[in-house]
Each structure stands twice: as structure tokens, then as C-alpha cells.
Amino acid sequence: MGEPERPIILTPIPGPKARKIIERHHRYVATTTNNPTYAPLVIESGEGVWIRDVDGNILLDFSSGISVLNAGIRNPVVQKAIEEQLKKMWHAAGTDFYNEKQVELAEKLNEIAPGDFEKKTFLSNSGTESVEAALKIARWSTQRKLFIGFIGAFHGRTYGSMSFVASKPVQRSRQFPTMPGVYLAPYPNPYRNPWHIDGYENPDELVNRVIEYIDEYMFNRYVPSEEVAAFLFEPIQGEGGYVIPPKNFFKELKKLADEHDIKLIADEVQSGMGRTGKMFAIEHFGIAPDIICLAKSLGSGIPIGATIFRKEMDFGEPGVHSNTFGGNMVACAAALATIEVLQNGLIQNAAKLEGLFRERLQEMYDKYEIIGDVRGLGLAWGVEFVKDRKTKSYAIEERNKILLECLRRGLVLLGCGVSVIRLIPPLCITDEQAKIGLEIFEEGIKAVIH
Ligand SMILES: Cc1ncc(COP(=O)(O)O)c(C=O)c1O
């Protein structure tokens, strides 16, 4: 495709070919989250940070296929590893027979995951499946049945993981009853929390309030702590709005968990694999969880999930848990190559570009009242739009219009939370490309507010 310097826009978006495909899509494909009013993009191909649509427009990717393409679109090292594996064997029933690729991947994941203890890994196909495995490992090893999750979370669409989902009511609608034994606590969202604490100014107060809520109100009243198997949390809430909790939160949560012998499960499906400038987002918070869930970017787009856990928590007994595609050879090859390229400079690049994003987005915050909050780490940024900075009322329509204005100018973005836009480019993005993307983002904002 050849990498351009800037987006190349040849037709209105959606163009004529895209319109026809979108129409067919909605006729034949089940309704999911596709929305033609603010995301009418029909993708044909791509390379690096560039996406070509079916009408020949070339757009800059600030969405990474929902944080899946951290290594870049069709990263050549990952592509080569996939092609080499395709020549040998694709599927080898990794939970019944043995293959070295899955062993290599498990060894690698156990080595790079935080925690100075021995680990094991369960391989699967998606984020939700990696969370389901974590729940089963926690119940199996502790013989406790209850869990605590957090409001604002997203963990997946199957019944176990969905029972912890609390970022949009539509994600649970007409699906009750969900899994019993799941209780939710407020997440220490510095910008919006039930106590109206400014968590940027007073992070410790916010952390204490959440810990106190769990300890005093949940444990002392209706959730017997000795029956809680684990806390399930995202180190950074992704779908919930790229919310970054105060630095101290997970240390305090771990103290509480240790007091009650409760395990910690970090869902790094969206926050992991270098996105925040470290391989795992939890590394910013100085604790090692007992279980880590991965998917999305692990395989650079080849479906794979992984649940890494303390060795002593293993099922031990054959048949308690398994699947068909876990340990898929092509997916494992893609994941091993992805880890290699992330470690060979891309994570560093994400950390390096944090300053540019912080500075440019802060400038926009200073100029445009419609921006209520800017937060981020590495190349994981959320910009929250509000009608009024005092009331913080959600500017949903405006957010959606900004998404469309940016798309029409050649910048691909995704919403999240209620009125947030996430800026999550592939980690191979250059300074120049990042500047161009941020410039288009600002143009998109101006087009909507002026
Ligand atoms: C934090 C987190 N966990 C789990 C999932 C579910 O992943 P999947 O869609 O691959 O099942 C997602 C998906 O967005 C996620 O962001």
C-alpha cells in the first residue's frame, strides 16, 4: 500500500462502495456495536498506522482495532512468524495433544508477567474466555464462590464476565439473571465518583473512600469476606472511559485482599501489551496480581487469549477446564512475535510519546470548554466531553459528531465511556504521525463547537 505522509481523502466518508457494504452489513450481519452514524468506515487493507478503506481513502489509525494492533497493522515480524507457521501446521488440539509453540508462549508469558513467583498459563481465544478461565481458577483454587468487581468495568460478553460489566446498562439488558455471587464496588475514578472527590487533587482520600466502602459497607454488612475468592479489576478501565485510578489504589486493595486471603485478578485485555508504556499496566502501580488476563493485542489480530496465574492455583486435575482452540499454533506464533517486537522498541516508543500526547491534549483542554477531562499513560488516552465543566453533564451527541468529523478528515477514533474518545494509536507511530493525528483531532473538535 505504501505509507503516505498524511491521510489521503478521495471521497466523502462513507464513499459509494462503503455505503453499499454498510447497507448489506446491516441486512445480513447481526446487530453488534457497529454504528453508521459516527463510524461509517469500511476497511479494506492497512499497513503500520494506515488504514485504506474500500473507496481508496487512506486514514491514520488512532484506534488500533480496539487496542489489538499495538504492534502496528501487519507488522512484518509478526506476519513472517504467521506465514512460517502456516507452512507447517495451523491447529494441533493443544489441550489434548502437545505442541512446542504453546509451551514457548506459556514460558514467555510466565517470565514477563509481574510477580516473583512461579506461574502457569491457560491459552484461549478471546478476552472474555481469558476472564472466564480466571474466575474458574480462582474458585477452584480458593474453594470460595464470591467475587468483587468494579463499577465502570468491562470484562466481556459471556455470562461470567458480563456479570461484572458495569459501564453501560445496554450491555446487560434483557440478560438477567447474571452469574450469582458477583458484587460491585465503586472504582476510584478521579473525575467522577459517588463522593464528588477530586481524585487528582486528593488521590488518597478517594482511595481510602473506596477501600472503606468495601471493608466497612460490603464486608461488614452483606459480603462475607471469607467467602470472596477474588477481586476482578482493570488496571485502567478501557471501555468504561480510559479511567486511570490513583497510583496508590492497587497497593491498598492488595493490603485489604491479603488481610482476607482474597486473590487479585487483573484484566489486562485492553490495558496490556505495551499500551501504557509498560508491558502490563499494573506495573505502573507496583503490585503483582495473582492472575492476569490477556487477549486483544497479544496476537496482533490473530485471536488468542491467555490467563497467567500463580502455579499453585492450577486445576491440577485433568478435565476441570479446557477448550478446542487454546494453544493454536498460528496464534501462538503470532503472540511470540508480537511480544518480541513490543520488547524491541515499541513499548519504549509508547512511553516516549506520552509527553507529546499530554502536552497537546492539555493545550486543547485549556482552549476548549467542551473538554472536561484528559487522562492517559503511554499511548492510552481518554478525552471526556462535557456540556458544562461544573455539572459535568455528558456531551454525547457532540462526542459522536467529533468522531465523525475526525473520520471525514482521515483520523480513525473510537468512543468509550459515556462521552469519551479514546486515542490509542498503534505503538509504532512516529512523532510526526502522532502530531498529525492530534492536529486532526483538534480540527474535529473545532468543527463541532464552532
Ligand atoms: C478489559 C477487557 N476485558 C475483556 C474484554 C473482552 O474481550 P473479547 O471481546 O475479546 O471477548 C474486553 C473487550 O473489549 C476488554 O476491554
Side-chain angles (χ1 to χ4, degrees), residues 221-232:
R221 286 170 171 74
Y222 68 108
V223 185
S225 60
E226 68 282 4
E227 292 184 43
V228 176
F231 287 102
L232 170 63

Side-chain angles (χ1 to χ4, degrees), residues 303-336:
I304 183 166
T307 312
I308 311 161
F309 54 94
R310 279 182 186 271
K311 188 174 188 171
E312 65 270 21
M313 298 174 83
D314 190 16
F315 296 112
E317 194 178 321
V320 177
H321 193 51
S322 185
N323 60 10
T324 298
F325 291 119
N328 177 280
M329 294 165 110
V330 177
C332 289
L336 281 161

Side-chain angles (χ1 to χ4, degrees), residues 77 97 221 314 435 448:
V77 176
F97 302 115
R221 286 170 171 74
D314 190 16
K435 282 182 195 158
V448 170

Side-chain angles (χ1 to χ4, degrees), residues 66 125-131 154-157 161 234 236 238-239 267-271 295-296 422:
I66 334 181
N125 312 284
S126 64
T128 198
E129 208 188 333
S130 72
V131 173
F154 187 86
H155 295 289
R157 301 280 188 171
S161 63
E234 291 163 273
I236 291 177
E239 160 61 24
D267 179 346
E268 293 256 12
V269 166
Q270 186 154 177
S271 61
K296 285 202 190 282
R422 52 188 136 181

